[in-house]
Amino acid sequence: MEILIQLSLSLVGGLLLSRLAKLLNLPAVTAYLVCGLLLGPYLLGALDVTGIGFTTPESVSRLDIISQTALGFIAFTIGNEFRVAQLKTMGRQAIMVGIFQAVFTTALVDAALVALHFVNPGLISVSSAITLGAIAAATAPAATLMVVRQYKADGPLTKLLLLVVAIDDAVGLVLFSASFGVASALESGTISILTVLVEPIVEIVLSLVLGGFAGWVLYRVEKYFHSRSKRLSISIGFVLLTVGLSMAEFEVGGIHCGFSLLLVCMMTGTIFCNICDFSEELMSRVDGWTAPLFVLFFVLSGAELNLGILANPLVLLIGVVYIVSRSFGKYLGSYVSCAATGCSEKITKHLGITLLPQAGVALGMALTAQQLAGGAVVRNVVLFSVLVYELVGPALTKRSLIAAGEIKTGGKTNARKKNNPAKPVNLNG
């Protein structure tokens, strides 16, 4: 009973609050996050009334399966953007921009936090600093996709943004694994090549192979059905399957093997959409089915945000340095790489701002980082930055897309129908 009431309040409350957000000219995703904060254990949940909000962080975390499922569908949807026609036009730019801005951001945050360590060694350790630098590379695909979908954004910047956000996950995974391995070595005095280099590459390869195979099997199974409702049900079932399989972990020859949920589901969507001639219509139907799931995802994300960290001056100081250096790194890294690859002025100027949102992937990395001696500091700084980025990031993404002329106010057109993969987008203006 309690869980059903909580889910009902999350869904209805988030949607009602989105009407207020519309009056304030804010994206709906911001309203969902605020609703989560209100229902969370630090506001309404603190009243300790059964069913009215989430009374403890544990009451939120027990619904993690909803968040994981939503991330799977988000990744599956983004995989639809990796169509051959688009990759021929913008693949090189997307890869160059995706890698450069992530590496540049990590280097800049590393430098800023290590400098803070030398100014006052008691504030943050070197191992924590380089771990936070790697986490800074990650960009949240969920908030970006929701803004694009709500405002039916369409154009060169939107297309490149979705590709770069997807590439971010793979690059961020490698950077974090390498940095975490170095950080662990600094604390233990020994370095493991397996942890730093081999395991992250194995994870990426396994994720792409599993996702690719799942996408091919999905297409083969879909061909046995002709009913739209049955095809939709098969698609939903396969995404649930890939989410479940991506949680598997095992060890082979001393190498820890696992999967990236986002990479697996992205690859599933990419392969399916490139070999299936009816994928466009089916993806549109999947979008409609997942709408309430995404609302719950963001409300639960808001409920997970820890307002208690705002009372810690140490976290606030490190958090401000982290946020400022990461924001500058994302913007400057995107600006330089876009200019170097010949992107248009609008893309070069606005892409960096749209890459600021940060959430689930960063929180997952922070959870792993808790194994370090300064892991609690890393986690709290990431929680603080997510609180800021998730509340401010969607609005900044919207403003950038409007400035680039890719959000048409008052439009009723379905964005998926406008984004015809048969008509490649020119990134050079």
Side-chain angles (χ1 to χ4, degrees):
M1 180 187 73
E2 182 180 354
I3 290 177
L4 289 175
I5 293 174
Q6 289 172 339
L7 291 177
S8 174
L9 285 176
S10 298
L11 187 57
V12 176
L15 291 171
L16 289 176
L17 205 58
S18 70
R19 306 312 297 172
L20 176 61
K22 185 176 182 180
L23 295 176
L24 298 175
N25 205 27
L26 292 172
V29 62
T30 303
Y32 304 149
L33 290 163
V34 171
C35 179
L37 281 173
L38 293 175
L39 295 175
Y42 300 95
L43 293 173
L44 290 178
L47 299 176
D48 200 21
V49 178
T50 301
I52 307 300
F54 301 93
T55 55
T56 64
E58 289 72 27
S59 65
V60 183
S61 61
R62 68 185 176 185
L63 297 175
D64 275 350
I65 188 64
I66 294 177
S67 298
Q68 295 296 312
T69 303
L71 278 175
F73 278 100
I74 288 167
F76 183 70
T77 301
I78 291 179
N80 182 52
E81 303 300 326
F82 283 84
R83 292 181 178 267
V84 173
Q86 291 295 344
L87 292 177
K88 287 180 178 179
T89 304
M90 64 178 68
R92 183 180 66 87
Q93 282 113 330
I95 293 172
M96 292 286 291
V97 173
I99 294 175
F100 182 83
Q101 57 83 24
V103 173
F104 183 81
T105 300
T106 294
L108 194 61
V109 175
D110 278 346
L113 293 178
V114 169
L116 185 62
H117 164 78
F118 284 114
V119 171
N120 188 341
L123 285 176
I124 185 172
S125 65
V126 174
S127 59
S128 296
I130 63 175
T131 302
L132 279 169
I135 294 175
T139 298
T144 303
L145 180 64
M146 285 293 284
V147 172
V148 169
R149 180 178 291 182
Q150 178 186 354
Y151 295 103
K152 303 172 178 62
D154 184 31
L157 174 59
T158 302
K159 284 292 186 182
L160 183 62
L161 168 62
L162 292 175
L163 292 176
V164 170
V165 166
I167 292 169
D168 242 11
D169 184 52
V171 179
L173 174 64
V174 173
L175 290 173
F176 176 75
S177 297
S179 296
F180 181 71
V182 172
S184 299
L186 288 174
E187 292 188 351
S188 66
T190 59
I191 188 167
S192 171
I193 299 299
L194 286 180
T195 303
V196 176
L197 294 177
V198 178
E199 289 184 356
I201 294 175
V202 169
E203 181 171 334
I204 291 174
V205 172
L206 288 177
S207 299
L208 295 178
V209 170
L210 175 60
F213 180 70
W216 179 80
V217 174
L218 172 58
Y219 168 63
R220 302 299 300 180
V221 174
E222 292 278 18
K223 291 183 67 176
Y224 288 105
F225 299 90
H226 301 285
S227 164
R228 290 182 176 180
S229 60
K230 289 179 180 178
R231 282 180 169 176
L232 173 62
S233 298
I234 292 295
S235 298
I236 293 169
F238 260 81
V239 175
L240 294 176
L241 175 63
T242 53
V243 170
L245 291 176
S246 68
M247 296 178 181
E249 296 182 359
F250 54 94
E251 190 169 303
V252 177
I255 300 176
H256 178 266
C257 302
F259 302 91
S260 165
L261 183 152
L262 289 177
L263 282 181
V264 171
C265 294
M266 279 180 199
M267 194 62 177
T268 301
T270 298
I271 296 300
F272 175 70
C273 290
N274 276 287
I275 64 177
C276 179
D277 55 358
F278 52 83
S279 65
E280 194 73 8
E281 187 271 340
L282 187 56
M283 290 296 293
S284 181
R285 294 177 65 82
V286 170
D287 286 351
W289 186 87
T290 56
L293 182 64
F294 290 172
V295 174
L296 288 175
F297 170 76
F298 284 103
V299 173
L300 293 174
S301 296
E304 287 181 326
L305 297 178
N306 187 350
L307 296 180
I309 61 175
L310 298 178
N312 189 334
L314 174 63
V315 172
L316 294 181
L317 174 60
I318 301 174
V320 169
V321 174
Y322 174 86
I323 290 172
V324 171
S325 56
R326 178 181 181 270
S327 301
F328 186 69
K330 285 288 180 182
Y331 183 81
L332 186 57
S334 298
Y335 190 98
V336 171
S337 55
C338 284
T341 53
C343 294
S344 68
E345 183 180 352
K346 286 183 178 180
I347 293 178
T348 302
K349 183 178 180 181
H350 297 293
L351 180 64
I353 299 296
T354 63
L355 295 174
L356 293 183
Q358 189 173 46
V361 178
L363 290 173
M365 292 177 176
L367 187 63
T368 301
Q370 286 190 110
Q371 301 173 32
L372 298 172
V377 173
V378 173
R379 180 178 180 274
N380 287 333
V381 170
V382 173
L383 282 172
F384 173 63
S385 69
V386 167
L387 175 64
V388 174
Y389 279 128
E390 284 298 272
L391 293 176
V392 177
L396 293 176
T397 298
K398 175 192 172 185
R399 291 187 61 181
S400 294
L401 292 174
I402 289 176
E406 300 193 6
I407 289 180
K408 309 299 182 184
T409 56
K412 300 293 183 182
T413 306
N414 184 296
R416 184 166 297 287
K417 292 179 180 178
K418 285 184 67 180
N419 294 340
N420 187 344
K423 298 178 180 179
V425 178
N426 182 5
L427 290 179
N428 303 317

mmCIF file of all heavy atoms in Angstrom, residues 128-155:
data_model
loop_
_atom_site.group_PDB
_atom_site.id
_atom_site.type_symbol
_atom_site.label_atom_id
_atom_site.label_comp_id
_atom_site.label_asym_id
_atom_site.label_seq_id
_atom_site.Cartn_x
_atom_site.Cartn_y
_atom_site.Cartn_z
ATOM 1 N N SER A 128 41.167 11.535 -4.085
ATOM 2 C CA SER A 128 39.781 11.997 -4.228
ATOM 3 C C SER A 128 39.666 13.023 -5.351
ATOM 4 O O SER A 128 38.672 13.048 -6.096
ATOM 5 C CB SER A 128 39.286 12.615 -2.914
ATOM 6 O OG SER A 128 39.252 11.656 -1.883
ATOM 7 N N ALA A 129 40.685 13.869 -5.494
ATOM 8 C CA ALA A 129 40.667 14.911 -6.521
ATOM 9 C C ALA A 129 40.646 14.313 -7.920
ATOM 10 O O ALA A 129 39.836 14.716 -8.770
ATOM 11 C CB ALA A 129 41.878 15.827 -6.355
ATOM 12 N N ILE A 130 41.506 13.336 -8.189
ATOM 13 C CA ILE A 130 41.551 12.770 -9.536
ATOM 14 C C ILE A 130 40.331 11.893 -9.825
ATOM 15 O O ILE A 130 39.909 11.755 -10.971
ATOM 16 C CB ILE A 130 42.856 11.978 -9.781
ATOM 17 C CG1 ILE A 130 42.956 10.765 -8.851
ATOM 18 C CG2 ILE A 130 44.067 12.873 -9.630
ATOM 19 C CD1 ILE A 130 44.159 9.896 -9.125
ATOM 20 N N THR A 131 39.733 11.336 -8.774
ATOM 21 C CA THR A 131 38.505 10.563 -8.964
ATOM 22 C C THR A 131 37.353 11.489 -9.336
ATOM 23 O O THR A 131 36.558 11.194 -10.241
ATOM 24 C CB THR A 131 38.154 9.775 -7.689
ATOM 25 O OG1 THR A 131 39.234 8.907 -7.352
ATOM 26 C CG2 THR A 131 36.894 8.945 -7.898
ATOM 27 N N LEU A 132 37.261 12.617 -8.661
ATOM 28 C CA LEU A 132 36.223 13.597 -8.991
ATOM 29 C C LEU A 132 36.422 14.147 -10.399
ATOM 30 O O LEU A 132 35.450 14.431 -11.109
ATOM 31 C CB LEU A 132 36.239 14.743 -7.975
ATOM 32 C CG LEU A 132 35.522 14.473 -6.646
ATOM 33 C CD1 LEU A 132 35.840 15.565 -5.634
ATOM 34 C CD2 LEU A 132 34.014 14.379 -6.861
ATOM 35 N N GLY A 133 37.673 14.284 -10.822
ATOM 36 C CA GLY A 133 37.942 14.764 -12.171
ATOM 37 C C GLY A 133 37.367 13.840 -13.227
ATOM 38 O O GLY A 133 36.798 14.282 -14.236
ATOM 39 N N ALA A 134 37.488 12.531 -12.996
ATOM 40 C CA ALA A 134 36.946 11.564 -13.951
ATOM 41 C C ALA A 134 35.421 11.567 -13.935
ATOM 42 O O ALA A 134 34.767 11.467 -14.980
ATOM 43 C CB ALA A 134 37.471 10.173 -13.623
ATOM 44 N N ILE A 135 34.842 11.698 -12.744
ATOM 45 C CA ILE A 135 33.376 11.743 -12.639
ATOM 46 C C ILE A 135 32.816 12.965 -13.371
ATOM 47 O O ILE A 135 31.707 12.932 -13.926
ATOM 48 C CB ILE A 135 32.951 11.752 -11.153
ATOM 49 C CG1 ILE A 135 33.333 10.418 -10.494
ATOM 50 C CG2 ILE A 135 31.452 12.001 -11.012
ATOM 51 C CD1 ILE A 135 33.071 10.364 -8.998
ATOM 52 N N ALA A 136 33.603 14.040 -13.407
ATOM 53 C CA ALA A 136 33.153 15.282 -14.056
ATOM 54 C C ALA A 136 32.880 15.097 -15.539
ATOM 55 O O ALA A 136 32.113 15.861 -16.143
ATOM 56 C CB ALA A 136 34.200 16.375 -13.855
ATOM 57 N N ALA A 137 33.486 14.089 -16.156
ATOM 58 C CA ALA A 137 33.300 13.874 -17.592
ATOM 59 C C ALA A 137 31.884 13.444 -17.932
ATOM 60 O O ALA A 137 31.394 13.685 -19.038
ATOM 61 C CB ALA A 137 34.298 12.828 -18.102
ATOM 62 N N ALA A 138 31.203 12.796 -16.993
ATOM 63 C CA ALA A 138 29.883 12.212 -17.263
ATOM 64 C C ALA A 138 28.809 13.282 -17.451
ATOM 65 O O ALA A 138 28.778 14.281 -16.738
ATOM 66 C CB ALA A 138 29.492 11.284 -16.122
ATOM 67 N N THR A 139 27.946 13.057 -18.431
ATOM 68 C CA THR A 139 26.796 13.928 -18.685
ATOM 69 C C THR A 139 25.528 13.085 -18.582
ATOM 70 O O THR A 139 25.497 11.946 -19.034
ATOM 71 C CB THR A 139 26.870 14.559 -20.084
ATOM 72 O OG1 THR A 139 28.045 15.367 -20.162
ATOM 73 C CG2 THR A 139 25.659 15.438 -20.360
ATOM 74 N N ALA A 140 24.480 13.647 -17.997
ATOM 75 C CA ALA A 140 23.232 12.904 -17.809
ATOM 76 C C ALA A 140 22.418 12.880 -19.106
ATOM 77 O O ALA A 140 21.985 13.944 -19.570
ATOM 78 C CB ALA A 140 22.408 13.530 -16.696
ATOM 79 N N PRO A 141 22.190 11.704 -19.687
ATOM 80 C CA PRO A 141 21.391 11.645 -20.915
ATOM 81 C C PRO A 141 19.907 11.867 -20.670
ATOM 82 O O PRO A 141 19.180 12.338 -21.536
ATOM 83 C CB PRO A 141 21.660 10.226 -21.429
ATOM 84 C CG PRO A 141 21.982 9.435 -20.209
ATOM 85 C CD PRO A 141 22.702 10.382 -19.287
ATOM 86 N N ALA A 142 19.439 11.538 -19.455
ATOM 87 C CA ALA A 142 18.000 11.581 -19.174
ATOM 88 C C ALA A 142 17.440 13.001 -19.252
ATOM 89 O O ALA A 142 16.441 13.253 -19.936
ATOM 90 C CB ALA A 142 17.730 10.973 -17.803
ATOM 91 N N ALA A 143 18.062 13.943 -18.537
ATOM 92 C CA ALA A 143 17.562 15.312 -18.527
ATOM 93 C C ALA A 143 17.609 15.926 -19.919
ATOM 94 O O ALA A 143 16.685 16.633 -20.343
ATOM 95 C CB ALA A 143 18.374 16.156 -17.548
ATOM 96 N N THR A 144 18.683 15.651 -20.643
ATOM 97 C CA THR A 144 18.828 16.180 -22.001
ATOM 98 C C THR A 144 17.729 15.665 -22.912
ATOM 99 O O THR A 144 17.086 16.431 -23.645
ATOM 100 C CB THR A 144 20.205 15.781 -22.576
ATOM 101 O OG1 THR A 144 21.233 16.267 -21.712
ATOM 102 C CG2 THR A 144 20.390 16.352 -23.969
ATOM 103 N N LEU A 145 17.497 14.355 -22.868
ATOM 104 C CA LEU A 145 16.471 13.756 -23.715
ATOM 105 C C LEU A 145 15.085 14.298 -23.384
ATOM 106 O O LEU A 145 14.272 14.545 -24.283
ATOM 107 C CB LEU A 145 16.485 12.235 -23.566
ATOM 108 C CG LEU A 145 15.452 11.470 -24.404
ATOM 109 C CD1 LEU A 145 15.729 11.664 -25.894
ATOM 110 C CD2 LEU A 145 15.469 9.987 -24.061
ATOM 111 N N MET A 146 14.807 14.505 -22.095
ATOM 112 C CA MET A 146 13.487 15.005 -21.697
ATOM 113 C C MET A 146 13.234 16.416 -22.209
ATOM 114 O O MET A 146 12.126 16.753 -22.632
ATOM 115 C CB MET A 146 13.356 14.964 -20.174
ATOM 116 C CG MET A 146 13.151 13.567 -19.620
ATOM 117 S SD MET A 146 11.564 12.837 -20.088
ATOM 118 C CE MET A 146 10.462 13.715 -18.985
ATOM 119 N N VAL A 147 14.262 17.263 -22.172
ATOM 120 C CA VAL A 147 14.107 18.626 -22.692
ATOM 121 C C VAL A 147 13.882 18.594 -24.200
ATOM 122 O O VAL A 147 13.010 19.277 -24.734
ATOM 123 C CB VAL A 147 15.340 19.493 -22.342
ATOM 124 C CG1 VAL A 147 15.262 20.845 -23.047
ATOM 125 C CG2 VAL A 147 15.447 19.680 -20.838
ATOM 126 N N VAL A 148 14.667 17.780 -24.901
ATOM 127 C CA VAL A 148 14.521 17.644 -26.357
ATOM 128 C C VAL A 148 13.127 17.149 -26.709
ATOM 129 O O VAL A 148 12.467 17.659 -27.621
ATOM 130 C CB VAL A 148 15.589 16.677 -26.916
ATOM 131 C CG1 VAL A 148 15.289 16.311 -28.364
ATOM 132 C CG2 VAL A 148 16.971 17.308 -26.815
ATOM 133 N N ARG A 149 12.652 16.167 -25.956
ATOM 134 C CA ARG A 149 11.338 15.592 -26.245
ATOM 135 C C ARG A 149 10.202 16.568 -25.916
ATOM 136 O O ARG A 149 9.252 16.700 -26.686
ATOM 137 C CB ARG A 149 11.174 14.291 -25.438
ATOM 138 C CG ARG A 149 9.842 13.612 -25.667
ATOM 139 C CD ARG A 149 9.743 12.317 -24.884
ATOM 140 N NE ARG A 149 10.641 11.297 -25.406
ATOM 141 C CZ ARG A 149 10.706 10.067 -24.902
ATOM 142 N NH1 ARG A 149 9.967 9.731 -23.867
ATOM 143 N NH2 ARG A 149 11.510 9.193 -25.436
ATOM 144 N N GLN A 150 10.290 17.239 -24.760
ATOM 145 C CA GLN A 150 9.208 18.143 -24.363
ATOM 146 C C GLN A 150 9.022 19.280 -25.355
ATOM 147 O O GLN A 150 7.891 19.628 -25.726
ATOM 148 C CB GLN A 150 9.480 18.729 -22.975
ATOM 149 C CG GLN A 150 8.388 19.716 -22.528
ATOM 150 C CD GLN A 150 8.714 20.411 -21.214
ATOM 151 O OE1 GLN A 150 9.702 20.098 -20.554
ATOM 152 N NE2 GLN A 150 7.890 21.366 -20.839
ATOM 153 N N TYR A 151 10.131 19.872 -25.791
ATOM 154 C CA TYR A 151 10.042 21.039 -26.668
ATOM 155 C C TYR A 151 10.202 20.690 -28.141
ATOM 156 O O TYR A 151 10.291 21.577 -28.984
ATOM 157 C CB TYR A 151 11.089 22.076 -26.248
ATOM 158 C CG TYR A 151 10.824 22.633 -24.872
ATOM 159 C CD1 TYR A 151 11.570 22.216 -23.773
ATOM 160 C CD2 TYR A 151 9.798 23.550 -24.662
ATOM 161 C CE1 TYR A 151 11.314 22.706 -22.503
ATOM 162 C CE2 TYR A 151 9.536 24.058 -23.391
ATOM 163 C CZ TYR A 151 10.299 23.621 -22.319
ATOM 164 O OH TYR A 151 10.031 24.106 -21.060
ATOM 165 N N LYS A 152 10.256 19.370 -28.437
ATOM 166 C CA LYS A 152 10.329 18.905 -29.835
ATOM 167 C C LYS A 152 11.488 19.574 -30.582
ATOM 168 O O LYS A 152 11.346 20.030 -31.713
ATOM 169 C CB LYS A 152 8.993 19.162 -30.543
ATOM 170 C CG LYS A 152 7.814 18.492 -29.839
ATOM 171 C CD LYS A 152 6.486 18.909 -30.436
ATOM 172 C CE LYS A 152 5.333 18.184 -29.737
ATOM 173 N NZ LYS A 152 5.237 18.503 -28.290
ATOM 174 N N ALA A 153 12.616 19.655 -29.884
ATOM 175 C CA ALA A 153 13.805 20.275 -30.485
ATOM 176 C C ALA A 153 14.285 19.449 -31.674
ATOM 177 O O ALA A 153 14.248 18.220 -31.646
ATOM 178 C CB ALA A 153 14.920 20.399 -29.438
ATOM 179 N N ASP A 154 14.725 20.134 -32.711
ATOM 180 C CA ASP A 154 15.185 19.445 -33.913
ATOM 181 C C ASP A 154 16.167 20.332 -34.663
ATOM 182 O O ASP A 154 15.948 21.534 -34.813
ATOM 183 C CB ASP A 154 13.996 19.123 -34.815
ATOM 184 C CG ASP A 154 14.408 18.317 -36.043
ATOM 185 O OD1 ASP A 154 15.371 17.545 -35.930
ATOM 186 O OD2 ASP A 154 13.778 18.478 -37.098
ATOM 187 N N GLY A 155 17.279 19.741 -35.095
ATOM 188 C CA GLY A 155 18.266 20.504 -35.847
ATOM 189 C C GLY A 155 19.658 19.951 -35.625
ATOM 190 O O GLY A 155 19.858 18.959 -34.908
#
